[in-house]
């Protein structure tokens, strides 16, 4: 009988601990334990002030340019809310394209320029033939035009 | 029966005995200290002298060393009790095996993990760490080493009575140690690059809470299997 | 002796023991009650140790069941341990601690209070007076066994499970132990034991069980 | 059918090394597993034969 | 007296159940299943390869490089799935104390480890051209590497203990403890932002893949599944014979 | 006596037995491999994202890890022979104890040091080392690990019969390992900064030669004391 | 048996043994020649094991000297080991190896060739036929001792030093061993041994030595 009580107590203690674990894990999601930071996070000061870190986002359309020395490239990384200027010397991965995902690793200099040591491409989870992609893009464009037109009416 | 001891005092005796045995052979407690200190000092020796490199290496090197020194003392956790038959006697005690195991784990922590919490910041000074980093190092080690003892106990119990245990334990336990290392060293790295370490710390807490539940269960099961 | 006032029964039903895929014994049935001494015989490797460990609950029987006062011991779990005193091939003492510290710990494990003077008396009785403050590591083979056996004098449990308790003991210690076992049985305790030495134990409820290889 | 000729198929749009490397590794690993397993099976059939006698 | 007790009806159910779960009845059953699984596996994998290499169209982002998906994803799925299966059999073994269950767990491990290694290698081969790095320490990749280490631990432990009975039970405990890693692998891309992409196929949402591509990938996956079953059954048969031949049991009938 | 074996075959038997025992539990040999691989992979996990840091850390991390994994298997060197009484029997053999000890050391090296010479370069690849560095890593490990086994043997013999050996050995042996580490990792560092590694290598050779003379003597003496 | 043809003498002169600052025995003098059996008696902790280890050269005597054919054994060093077969409290076998492998290694250590069939015969004689291919870890307590004792049948050395050789043996094994010792002594071998069990060994040159605590 006594043994049974003890076992019950142990089970309760175990469940309590599991609840604590659950609470802690949900709490940590709101914090910033991540592989990379978005420009917004950098702006808000959540990213490291010193040392290396990674930023991630989309390469802004039309922002990619090669510097006169022919070695460095510059481009802007955006998360649609904020953007950051990145400079990099080296070979870009194949999937690196304007409008696509990117993760750059390096550090922020005093001018707010992000000097990258490494640039990685991050793609999304969509797989489809180019024609389908084109059609989808067209449809999307039409839709936004549509909605903006509606907005104009209002 | 008037002569019966309370659960609490039985458990206390188990804890106290382990600590007494360890203190009797003073070298044991010292040993983890010294291993940590010596091993951590090896890294600067092996690398070309560059103070910046050194301080950048520090969180990972210190945490990995702490992890290895906790791990090294694991094979001792149950094996000597097994060899002289006292483990059998403990399994036949009138307390649930899970609690007995928990006491063994606590004793291991007090003797091997806890000292590191105090020594690590001193060694960290050698590596040029700032006071904020040192503080985080101590906090993360406090939570982390307990988790290491808990998880390690499963490995120690599983390899009981198997020869050449040291290396086998390492293989079993190191993969399970990775989250502790990532979050623990992550917390220190976070402050050193000027970020908030709370995320890493609360994940460390999650791992600790889960280990507190599952490790004693797993170890108790493993010990029963080993003694069969 | 608080315990020995009550009535207990240890029953083994259809016990079957296997070690490393080898069948050691099969369909064993026996029942022990207050005052019984069960003496296991058998050649080396016949499974005596295996059976004793099963009786304490350290190993699970391959088939069959053991019950204590009609409850299965695997269900009783640590509740059952309150009644069993097991001394195996290994002495179960820590070599770094002194004899007294070892005994204190053994008693704590079964939840019993430790009486320092009583324990000292018993150790003196067992001719260990000189080694009281030495770590047991410094004792000879036979002296270590004596420390382990001192538990029989100090603990108050109704079932003793003894695996070759006379090993390494000299003539004096052997006769002391023999008398102790007889006294315990006549006071209502139960004993299960094995030995290869010829030691005649004289109690009314003496049973022999032969395990054959 | 996606391909016009064998070269194009082998080149995989410039990703030949990676694509064929992946497929190669995958099937090599499976083949190795099968080979090892077969050796073991042969050993086992030997045992079965011996014991049947 | 002894005989009477064995004939009491209570053990009836138990004996029957043990018969089904017993290695001796399972052995021929497995033997019958193997050729079917193997044939289907070959057919499906060949068809899957045909779909993946010849029929499926180019991807709009990754060009032809994406075709690695047809081996990477099935291998990655089965690396995780087989671990769970292994842990399940191991746990079942502990609960029911059934030898066959342990043997299944033992037989699954090598195939699972093989698929883990394949997922890691093909992932690296895919990462180099697409991401620009062979390896990064993100949550998905790290946890998959831990999976490999867990498989290695499982083997090592089993090899180190030569009392088979004990080896089974001890490694079962390890398998169960390690199972916690599998959900972490799976959800890592959701919980943290990783370099690895999110799920293209999930139970909740419509697949983010063109139908042909998806079809090729699923068929490859089913092919791999049947391959696994066949290989595992062969291995479990070997296991049964090897274990029993050391004793007299196999010779008795 | 016609049945007498030659010195050579007695010594060969001692070596062969150790290797046989190790191979019987295959995992033992594998284990040093795996420990090395897993432990070396821990360092990147603990450090923040910086590929440059990683390759700068590599020589010291790989050498220290090799050293630790050799050391981990030291406690196994004599302890199991001691526990089962075979060590006593070996001391009562008709061959000089120094030679017997030398065989034990060789067996240890073959089983734990030699494999690392082959694995380390593979792991080095992960850390982005150049082929010249990898080559030096292998050469320095070849000479270094034998020295480690020799020196380690003294520590293993001294701690014989003491519990919690793992950590104690570490403390005794690590300081003696420092020269090996400095010259070994030094040779690799030398090539990576474009210098001639021969100086470091010949120093490594000197240490090896000295260890070959003194380690068996020291170990034999320590063993005799331990058995008294 | 090549060895037993020659004449040997083991002499102890003024031997004195100390363990941890305690004097165990003092001024012991004895001489053994071909055919002698020296039987050490004494209570637990009286120093029997200490004396035996000193006789083999594993420990140094605190005072006094041991000589083999008039040469001091500490000068003979490993030369002396060619004549001594010691079996102590520990069996001295590797649990990972099989019985045969263990014996082969033991023989190699004293430089003797190993005859596989002969060894198998001996193990069968000792009732270990079933366990021939098992690692000795899987044997029971008594079976392990039997493996260690098999050396007595296989090795050809003139001096046996046996510390409680009958421990853990069942009746059959005990009588086998007893006969073997008698046969060895009557063929000219020398034996020094201790035991707490009552085993009567009948040889002409039987001596008893009592170490008293
Ligand atoms: C070493 C590197 C890699 C590892 C260890 C790895 C591991 C995994 C694992 C474990 C999964 C299964 C999880 C799931 O089903 O959600 C997975 C799925 C997947 N991986 Fe990777 N991966 C690696 C690299 C890559 C790369 C470079 C790509 C593409 C560029 C990629 C694309 C995918 C895709 C498309 C899936 C399927 C997701 C889904 O639909 O569920 N992986 N990977
Ligand atoms: N390592 C040690 N350090 C100090 N004293 C010791 C040590 N080992 C044994 N002794 C002491 O030496 C004495 C003799 O021990 P020894 O083992 O020779 O006795 P023994 O006659 O063989 O006894 P037994 O019959 O119990 O085997 C004992 O009193 C013991 O306390
Ligand atoms: N770990 C093990 N694995 C497999 N088989 C074992 C193991 N331990 C013991 N055995 C086998 O089980 C059998 C019974 O062993 P047990 O120790 O119960 O014998 P015992 O009757 O106590 O013998 P002894 O009188 O020698 O102590 C032996 O034949 C032995 O070979
Ligand atoms: Mg026994
Ligand atoms: Mg003795």
């Amino acid at each position: 009988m006594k043994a049974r009580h003890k076992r019950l107590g142990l089970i309760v203690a175990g469940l309590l601990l599991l609840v604590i674990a659950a609470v802690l894990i949900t709490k940590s999601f709101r914090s910033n334990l991540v592989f990379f930071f978005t420009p917004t996070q950098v702006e808000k000061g959540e990213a490291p002030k010193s040392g290396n870190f990674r930023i991630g986002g989309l390469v802004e359309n039309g922002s990619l340019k090669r510097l006169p020395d022919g070695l460095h490239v510059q481009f802007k990384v955006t998360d649609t809310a904020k953007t950051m200027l990145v400079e990099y010397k080296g070979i870009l991965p194949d999937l690196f394209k304007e409008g696509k995902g990117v993760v750059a690793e390096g550090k922020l200099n005093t001018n707010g320029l992000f000097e990258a040591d490494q640039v990685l491409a991050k793609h999304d989870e969509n797989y489809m033939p180019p024609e389908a992609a084109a059609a989808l893009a067209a449809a999307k464009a039409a839709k936004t035009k549509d909605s903006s037109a509606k907005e104009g009416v209002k | 029966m008037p002569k019966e001891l309370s659960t609490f005092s039985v458990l206390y005796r188990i804890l106290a005995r382990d600590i007494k045995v360890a203190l009797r052979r003073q070298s044991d407690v010292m040993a983890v200290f010294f291993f940590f200190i010596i091993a951590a000092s090896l890294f600067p020796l092996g690398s070309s002298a560059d103070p910046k490199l050194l301080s950048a290496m520090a969180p990972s090197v210190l945490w990995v060393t702490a992890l290895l020194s906790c791990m090294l003392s694991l094979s001792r956790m149950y094996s000597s009790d097994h060899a002289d038959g006292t483990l059998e006697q403990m399994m036949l005690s009138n307390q649930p095996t899970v609690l007995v195991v928990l006491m063994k784990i606590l004793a291991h922590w007090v003797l091997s993990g806890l000292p590191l919490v105090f020594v690590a910041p001193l060694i960290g000074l050698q590596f040029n760490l700032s006071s904020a980093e040192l503080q985080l190092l101590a906090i993360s080690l406090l939570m982390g080493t307990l988790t290491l003892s808990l998880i390690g106990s499963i490995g120690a119990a599983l390899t009981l009575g198997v020869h050449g245990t040291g290396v086998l334990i390492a293989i079993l336990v190191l993969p399970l140690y990775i989250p502790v290392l990532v979050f623990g060293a992550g917390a220190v790295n976070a402050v050193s690059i000027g970020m908030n370490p709370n995320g890493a710390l609360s994940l460390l807490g999650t791992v600790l809470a889960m280990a507190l539940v599952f490790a004693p269960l797993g170890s108790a099961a493993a010990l029963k299997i080993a003694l069969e | 002796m608080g315990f020995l006032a009550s009535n207990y029964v240890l029953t083994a039903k259809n016990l079957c023991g296997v070690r490393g895929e080898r069948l050691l014994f099969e369909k064993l049935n026996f029942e022990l009650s207050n005052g019984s001494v069960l003496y296991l015989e058998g050649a080396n490797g016949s499974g005596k140790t295996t059976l004793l460990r099963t009786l304490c609950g350290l190993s699970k029987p391959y088939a069959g069941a053991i019950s204590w006062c009609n409850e299965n011991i695997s269900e009783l779990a640590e509740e059952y341990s309150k009644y069993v005193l097991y001394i195996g091939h290994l002495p179960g003492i820590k070599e770094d601690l002194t004899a007294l510290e070892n005994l204190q710990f053994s008693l704590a494990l079964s939840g019993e209070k430790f009486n320092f003077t009583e324990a000292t008396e018993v150790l003196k009785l067992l001719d260990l007076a000189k080694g009281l403050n030495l770590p047991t590591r410094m004792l000879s083979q036979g002296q270590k066994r004596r420390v382990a056996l001192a538990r029989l004098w100090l603990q108050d449990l109704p079932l003793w499970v003894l695996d070759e308790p006379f090993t390494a003991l000299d003539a004096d210690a052997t006769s002391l132990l023999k008398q102790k076992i007889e006294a315990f049985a006549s006071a209502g305790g139960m004993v299960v034991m094995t030995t290869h030495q010829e030691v005649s134990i004289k109690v009314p409820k003496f049973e022999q069980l032969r395990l054959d290889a | 059918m996606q391909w016009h000729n064998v070269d194009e198929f082998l080149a995989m749009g410039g990703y030949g090394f990676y694509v064929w490397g992946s497929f190669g590794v995958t099937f090599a690993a499976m083949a190795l597993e099968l080979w090892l397993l077969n050796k073991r099976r042969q050993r086992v059939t030997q045992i079965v034969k011996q014991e049947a006698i | 007296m002894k005989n009477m007790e064995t004939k009491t009806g209570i053990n009836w159910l138990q004996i029957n159940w043990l018969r089904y779960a017993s290695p001796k009845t399972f052995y021929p059953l497995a033997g019958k299943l193997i050729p079917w699984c193997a044939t289907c596996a070959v057919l499906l994998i060949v068809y899957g390869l045909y779909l993946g290499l010849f029929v499926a169209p180019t991807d709009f982002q990754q060009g032809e490089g994406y075709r690695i998906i047809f081996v990477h994803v099935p291998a990655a799925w089965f690396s995780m799935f087989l671990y769970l299966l292994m842990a399940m059999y191991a746990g079942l073994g502990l609960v029911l104390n059934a030898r066959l269950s342990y043997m299944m767990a033992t037989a699954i491990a090598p195939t699972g480890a093989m698929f883990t290694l394949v997922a890691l290698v093909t992932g690296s081969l895919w990462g180099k051209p697409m991401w620009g790095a062979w390896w990064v320490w993100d949550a998905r990749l790290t946890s998959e590497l831990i999976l490999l280490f867990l498989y290695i631990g499982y083997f090592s432990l089993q090899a180190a203990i030569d009392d088979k009975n004990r080896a089974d039970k001890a490694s079962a405990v390890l398998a169960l403890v390690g199972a916690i890693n599998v959900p972490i692998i799976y959800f890592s891309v959701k919980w943290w932002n990783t370099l690895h992409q999110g799920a293209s196929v999930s139970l909740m949402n419509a697949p983010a893949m063109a139908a042909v591509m998806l079809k090729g990938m699923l068929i490859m996956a089913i092919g791999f599944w049947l391959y696994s079953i066949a290989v595992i059954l062969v291995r479990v048969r070997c296991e049964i014979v090897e274990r029993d031949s050391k004793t007299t049991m196999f010779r008795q009938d």
Side-chain angles (χ1 to χ4, degrees), chain A, chain B, chain C, chain D, chain E:
Chain A
M1 179 208 80
K2 227 181 117 208
R4 210 165 295 149
H5 280 181
K6 212 177 275 171
R7 213 161 297 158
L8 204 71
L10 286 176
I11 290 171
V12 170
L15 289 178
L16 212 74
L17 278 168
L18 287 182
V19 170
I20 293 175
V23 169
L24 282 174
I25 207 169
T26 46
K27 217 184 120 199
S28 65
F29 280 138
R30 268 181 272 122
S31 70
N32 39 25
L33 191 94
V34 289
F35 187 66
F36 57 79
F37 298 91
T38 60
T40 313
Q41 284 173 315
V42 176
E43 197 87 359
K44 276 201 248 157
E46 284 170 16
K49 314 269 178 314
S50 61
N52 278 43
F53 66 100
R54 297 196 186 86
I55 60 164
L58 300 175
V59 182
E60 199 170 67
N61 278 319
S63 71
L64 178 65
K65 58 172 183 273
R66 209 156 264 283
L67 294 191
D69 66 1
L71 293 171
H72 288 81
V73 288
Q74 271 192 352
F75 55 87
K76 281 186 184 143
V77 172
T78 175
D79 56 3
T80 66
K82 294 276 188 287
T83 63
M84 270 182 77
L85 189 63
V86 177
E87 189 177 295
Y88 174 65
K89 176 187 159 189
I91 303 163
L92 291 167
D94 293 1
L95 281 194
F96 184 88
K97 278 201 194 85
E98 290 183 349
K100 296 294 176 198
V102 69
V103 173
E105 187 262 311
K107 56 158 112 29
L108 212 53
N109 72 10
T110 40
N111 306 328
L113 177 72
F114 190 85
E115 293 172 341
D117 290 329
Q118 193 184 26
V119 170
L120 300 170
K122 177 167 167 61
H123 58 87
D124 54 34
E125 56 272 17
N126 294 309
Y127 289 85
M128 59 187 107
E131 312 85 64
L136 211 65
K140 204 174 167 191
K143 208 171 172 189
T144 45
K145 209 184 274 169
D146 218 35
S147 57
S148 57
K150 269 181 203 158
E151 227 130 85
V153 173
K154 270 184 187 170
Chain B
M1 285 139 271
K3 294 209 290 175
E4 198 157 332
L5 293 177
S6 68
T7 299
F8 179 77
S9 34
V10 174
L11 294 181
Y12 166 75
R13 282 251 133 253
I14 296 174
L15 184 66
R17 184 201 65 146
D18 268 25
I19 293 174
K20 192 190 269 175
V21 170
L23 292 181
R24 185 109 351 143
R25 36 176 77 262
Q26 297 141 350
S27 64
D28 258 20
V29 191
M30 295 287 166
V32 182
F33 269 110
F34 286 137
F35 173 78
F36 180 75
I37 295 171
I38 297 175
S41 326
L42 287 179
F43 289 91
L45 286 173
S47 56
S48 52
D50 178 358
K52 258 188 227 155
L53 173 65
L54 218 59
S55 76
M57 277 167 71
S60 118
V61 163
L62 288 177
W63 247 98
V64 172
T65 317
L67 192 151
L68 290 178
S69 48
C70 277
M71 195 197 70
L72 275 185
S73 51
L74 278 181
S75 56
R76 214 174 52 199
M77 202 165 181
Y78 300 110
S79 68
S80 75
D81 284 356
H82 180 51
D84 60 22
T86 42
L87 190 62
E88 277 174 4
Q89 299 293 344
M90 280 193 256
M91 304 298 277
L92 290 178
S93 111
N94 69 349
Q95 299 300 325
T97 316
V98 185
L99 285 181
V100 174
V101 166
L102 196 61
M103 287 303 113
K104 292 285 301 173
I105 295 172
L106 270 183
H108 179 263
W109 179 63
V110 170
L111 292 168
S112 69
L114 200 54
L116 295 191
V117 177
F118 301 102
V119 194
L122 295 179
I123 308 290
L125 278 177
Q126 282 187 349
F127 280 76
N128 280 331
L129 292 183
S130 71
S131 72
E133 287 167 307
L134 291 177
Q135 196 186 333
L136 249 288
L137 187 64
I139 295 176
S140 64
L141 279 176
L142 185 68
M143 297 164 70
T145 48
L146 180 53
T147 320
L148 295 181
S149 292
L150 283 162
I151 297 176
S153 150
I154 304 178
L158 283 174
T159 54
L160 199 58
V162 178
H163 292 273
T165 315
V167 193
L168 187 60
I169 285 190
I171 293 179
L172 296 185
V173 149
L174 284 184
L176 299 173
Y177 275 3
I178 289 177
V180 184
L181 171 68
V182 170
F183 303 137
V188 186
N189 275 322
V191 277
S192 59
I193 55 175
M195 277 169 53
N196 186 343
N198 287 349
L201 284 183
S202 67
L203 278 171
L204 203 56
T206 313
V207 180
L208 174 58
M210 305 233 309
L212 265 173
V213 178
F214 292 112
L217 284 174
S219 315
L223 284 180
K224 283 206 181 115
I225 291 162
L227 285 183
E228 232 177 45
Chain C
M1 297 226 199
F3 261 119
L4 299 187
S6 334
N7 285 323
Y8 299 106
V9 221
L10 179 75
T11 333
K13 246 196 201 140
N14 269 326
L15 268 199
C16 170
V18 168
R19 252 356 261 267
E21 326 242 328
R22 254 190 62 207
L23 187 72
L24 293 174
F25 48 85
E26 198 178 19
K27 305 219 183 94
L28 280 188
N29 288 291
F30 54 82
E31 194 174 283
L32 299 182
S33 56
N34 294 53
S36 297
V37 172
L38 176 66
Y39 182 87
L40 293 182
E41 286 181 308
N44 289 140
S46 54
K48 300 179 296 301
T49 300
T50 310
L51 177 56
L52 291 185
R53 292 173 64 88
T54 315
L55 284 180
C56 314
L58 279 170
S59 315
K60 293 231 166 64
Y62 184 77
I66 302 166
S67 41
W68 177 252
C69 303
N70 298 321
E71 284 196 82
N72 195 310
I73 63 163
S74 65
E75 273 156 37
L76 283 172
E78 70 261 14
E79 202 60 26
Y80 176 55
S81 302
K82 287 186 189 160
Y83 303 98
V84 188
L85 198 168
Y86 169 68
I87 298 181
H89 279 306
L90 294 169
I93 56 176
K94 267 246 120 26
E95 303 218 317
D96 292 319
L97 300 179
T98 65
L100 283 171
E101 286 166 336
N102 267 302
L103 290 174
Q104 181 179 26
F105 181 64
S106 295
L107 263 72
L109 280 183
S110 59
E112 286 168 291
K113 284 234 170 75
F114 179 70
N115 184 326
F116 187 84
T117 31
E118 193 189 338
T120 315
E121 282 311 307
V122 170
L123 289 177
K124 279 192 186 139
L125 175 74
L126 289 168
D127 199 19
L128 287 166
K130 276 185 205 159
L132 276 184
N133 295 314
L134 289 179
T136 45
R137 175 170 8 101
M138 302 226 173
L139 301 181
S140 80
Q141 196 77 352
Q143 289 168 327
K144 282 179 202 161
R145 296 283 318 175
R146 287 167 186 231
V147 175
L149 292 169
R151 292 172 57 199
L152 300 180
W153 274 260
L154 292 169
Q155 287 186 271
D156 186 21
L157 305 176
L159 172 62
W160 291 357
V161 179
L162 310 176
D163 199 352
E164 303 198 22
F166 297 103
T167 299
L169 294 185
D170 59 18
D172 291 353
T174 305
S175 79
L176 259 176
L177 178 58
K178 195 188 126 218
Q179 283 160 23
K180 180 68 191 168
I181 292 175
E182 286 169 357
F184 175 69
S186 54
M190 299 176 218
V191 182
V192 186
M193 60 179 287
T194 104
T195 171
H196 292 299
Q197 267 140 304
E198 269 164 55
V199 182
S200 65
I201 288 177
K202 288 185 198 74
V203 285
K205 290 208 219 162
F206 185 79
E207 288 171 59
Q208 267 172 305
L209 184 67
R210 210 174 160 83
L211 297 181
D212 267 314
Chain D
M1 180 64 114
Q2 292 293 307
W3 316 99
H4 302 293
N5 56 44
V6 178
D7 282 347
E8 202 181 278
F9 178 59
L10 291 180
M12 276 288 157
Y15 293 115
F17 170 74
Y18 303 105
V19 173
W20 295 123
S22 299
F23 280 78
V25 164
T26 308
F27 290 102
M30 287 160 98
L32 183 70
E33 190 190 16
L34 288 175
W35 182 67
L36 288 174
L37 187 60
N38 192 42
K39 272 204 333 197
R40 182 170 169 191
R41 200 182 53 86
Q42 279 166 359
R43 224 175 29 235
V44 164
T45 26
Q46 210 100 59
I47 297 177
V48 174
K49 262 188 217 144
Q50 273 175 12
E51 308 220 326
I53 298 164
Chain E
M1 169 76 189
K2 275 180 186 174
N3 290 336
M4 270 178 60
E5 288 202 11
T6 47
K7 275 183 187 161
T8 48
I10 308 161
N11 289 343
W12 239 87
L13 267 177
Q14 224 179 346
I15 288 167
N16 239 343
W17 157 242
L18 277 178
R19 213 184 104 74
Y20 283 114
S22 95
K24 257 177 257 161
T25 38
F26 181 75
Y27 189 85
L29 185 73
K32 270 177 218 142
L33 274 171
I34 291 166
W36 292 101
C37 292
T39 322
C40 292
V42 170
L43 290 177
L44 281 169
I45 289 175
V46 168
Y47 183 49
L49 280 177
Y50 168 73
L51 285 180
L53 289 174
F54 296 100
V55 178
T58 306
D59 177 56
F60 76 113
Q61 304 185 82
Q62 306 188 13
E64 311 299 349
Y66 92 97
R67 291 183 199 276
I68 297 175
I69 207 172
F70 296 107
V71 286
H72 172 75
V73 176
W77 281 348
F78 285 105
S79 69
M80 298 186 299
F81 180 69
L82 289 178
Y83 191 94
L84 283 184
L85 204 64
M86 176 180 92
M88 193 200 77
Y89 273 116
L92 216 62
L94 282 178
V95 174
L96 301 177
N97 201 9
R99 284 167 77 233
L100 183 60
S101 197
Y102 289 126
M103 291 184 199
M104 280 301 284
T106 314
I108 289 170
T111 307
M114 188 272 290
F115 278 132
T116 314
L117 195 65
V118 166
L120 285 167
V121 174
T122 56
S124 290
L125 280 167
W126 199 355
K128 183 61 187 170
M130 296 307 158
W131 299 339
W134 296 102
W135 184 262
V136 292
W137 292 104
D138 83 348
R140 165 60 63 82
L141 273 57
T142 308
S143 52
E144 180 78 1
L145 187 65
I146 294 178
L147 187 70
L148 181 66
F149 291 158
L150 286 172
Y151 275 119
I152 291 175
Y154 184 87
F155 300 144
S156 310
L157 188 60
Q158 207 153 44
I161 305 177
D162 43 17
D163 176 352
K164 271 288 171 206
N165 231 329
R166 210 198 124 187
D168 281 339
K169 289 182 186 168
S171 46
V173 172
L174 184 72
L176 285 175
V177 170
I180 208 168
N181 186 43
V182 174
I184 293 179
I185 300 176
Y186 189 78
F187 293 112
S188 55
V189 289
K190 227 187 211 166
W191 290 347
W192 296 286
N193 47 17
T194 52
L195 187 60
H196 194 279
Q197 66 158 76
S200 300
V201 184
S202 70
L203 292 177
M204 300 300 163
N205 305 315
M209 275 176 100
V212 203
M213 297 177 178
L214 183 64
K215 187 176 162 198
M217 199 172 87
L218 291 181
I219 284 179
M220 282 297 275
I222 301 171
F224 277 27
W225 178 215
L226 288 166
Y227 164 87
S228 308
I229 296 179
V231 168
I232 289 166
L233 287 180
V234 175
R235 197 175 286 121
V236 95
R237 272 163 61 102
C238 293
E239 197 76 31
I240 292 174
V241 177
E242 279 171 4
R243 289 193 188 193
D244 286 353
S245 73
K246 287 189 191 130
T247 68
T248 47
M249 283 185 189
F250 206 80
R251 252 175 282 167
Q252 274 171 2
D253 14 32

